[in-house]
C-alpha cells in the first residue's frame, strides 16, 4: 500500500518548499555580501600639522620641527621624532584652540569656535586622564612643571575616532593650538597649525 504521506502532490510541495528555502538563503547571502561591500565608515583625515609661522615663532619655548612627523590611518594618529623645551613651563598656563570652517576648495573660511582652557598642569599630571597614555609615551615622561630638554615620541598614539561622532564632512577644518604663560607679560610658548577633513570610506 502506497504511503499517502509521499504522494506526488506532497513531494512537489516539499520540493517547492526546499527550493524556496535554498533560494531565500542564496538571496540573503548575496544581500549580506552587497551590504558588507557597500558599508562605509567615517575617517578623519589629517592634512597638515606644523608649527605656526608668526612673529613669535623663533621665541617659542616649546619647539617642534616645521612639520610634525606623523602617520594617520583608521582614525589613529602616530607621532614620531622629538621636540625641545628651552625653559621650565609651569602654571599659570592657558591653552587656546581656534577653529575655522572652510569650504573644500578653501575659497572661504569662517570662525567656527574658540575654546580657552586653564589649569593645564592638572590635565598633564592626571594619570587616569584622557591624555595620560600619550604623555607617558614620551621619553622622558611629560610632567608639569615641564623641564627643559629634548622629548622623544615613543609609540605616541592619539585616537581621533571621537571626532567621527560629529557632522564634519563636507568641509576643511583649520585649527590653531596655542599655549600661553599667563605670567605677566603674557607669553606665547608654542603654536601648532592643523588642517583636517572628514571623509566616508568603504569598510574593508
Amino acid at each position: 500500500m502506497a504511503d499517502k504521506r509521499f504522494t506526488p502532490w506532497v513531494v512537489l510541495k516539499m520540493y517547492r518548499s526546499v527550493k524556496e528555502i535554498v533560494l531565500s538563503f542564496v538571496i540573503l547571502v548575496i544581500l549580506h555580501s552587497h551590504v558588507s561591500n557597500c558599508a562605509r565608515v567615517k575617517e578623519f583625515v589629517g592634512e597638515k600639522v606644523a608649527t605656526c609661522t608668526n612673529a613669535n615663532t623663533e621665541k617659542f619655548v616649546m619647539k617642534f620641527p616645521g612639520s610634525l612627523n606623523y602617520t594617520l590611518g583608521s582614525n589613529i594618529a602616530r607621532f614620531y621624532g622629538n621636540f625641545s623645551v628651552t625653559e621650565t613651563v609651569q602654571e599659570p598656563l592657558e591653552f587656546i584652540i581656534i577653529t575655522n570652517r572652510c569650504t573644500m576648495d578653501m575659497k572661504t573660511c569662517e570662525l567656527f569656535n574658540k575654546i580657552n582652557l586653564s589649569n593645564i598642569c592638572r590635565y598633564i599630571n592626571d594619570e587616569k586622564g584622557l591624555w595620560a597614555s600619550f604623555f607617558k609615551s614620551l621619553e622622558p615622561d611629560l610632567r608639569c612643571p615641564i623641564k627643559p630638554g629634548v622629548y622623544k615620541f615613543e609609540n605616541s598614539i592619539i585616537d581621533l575616532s571621537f571626532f567621527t561622532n560629529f557632522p564634519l564632512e563636507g568641509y576643511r577644518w583649520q585649527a590653531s593650538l596655542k599655549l600661553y604663560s599667563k605670567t605677566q607679560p603674557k607669553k606665547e610658548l608654542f603654536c601648532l597649525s592643523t588642517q583636517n577633513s572628514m571623509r566616508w570610506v568603504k569598510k574593508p
Side-chain angles (χ1 to χ4, degrees), residues 92-196:
L93 299 170
E94 181 181 35
F95 189 60
I96 299 177
I97 305 173
I98 302 172
T99 307
N100 292 311
R101 183 174 64 183
C102 306
T103 56
M104 292 300 291
D105 59 11
M106 297 301 295
K107 288 185 177 180
T108 59
C109 294
E110 60 181 355
L111 177 63
F112 182 77
N113 202 355
K114 182 178 180 180
I115 300 173
N116 294 61
L117 299 173
S118 56
N119 299 319
I120 304 305
C121 283
R122 179 183 64 183
Y123 300 103
I124 294 176
N125 293 341
D126 184 356
E127 295 187 356
K128 296 183 179 180
L130 180 64
W131 295 91
S133 61
F134 178 76
F135 293 136
K136 288 181 180 179
S137 72
L138 295 168
E139 177 59 40
D141 289 359
L142 191 68
R143 303 287 294 175
C144 214
I146 302 173
K147 298 179 180 179
V150 176
Y151 292 80
K152 185 178 180 181
F153 292 112
E154 295 279 359
N155 194 31
S156 301
I157 296 173
I158 297 180
D159 187 346
L160 301 172
S161 57
F162 170 77
F163 293 100
T164 63
N165 296 314
F166 302 98
L168 302 178
E169 59 272 21
Y171 299 95
R172 277 196 164 92
W173 301 86
Q174 291 183 328
S176 295
L177 315 177
K178 302 184 178 187
L179 180 66
Y180 288 93
S181 169
K182 296 175 67 176
T183 302
Q184 296 300 325
K186 188 174 181 178
K187 182 178 180 180
E188 187 174 13
L189 302 180
F190 89 84
C191 174
L192 291 179
S193 175
T194 72
Q195 182 172 299
N196 312 287

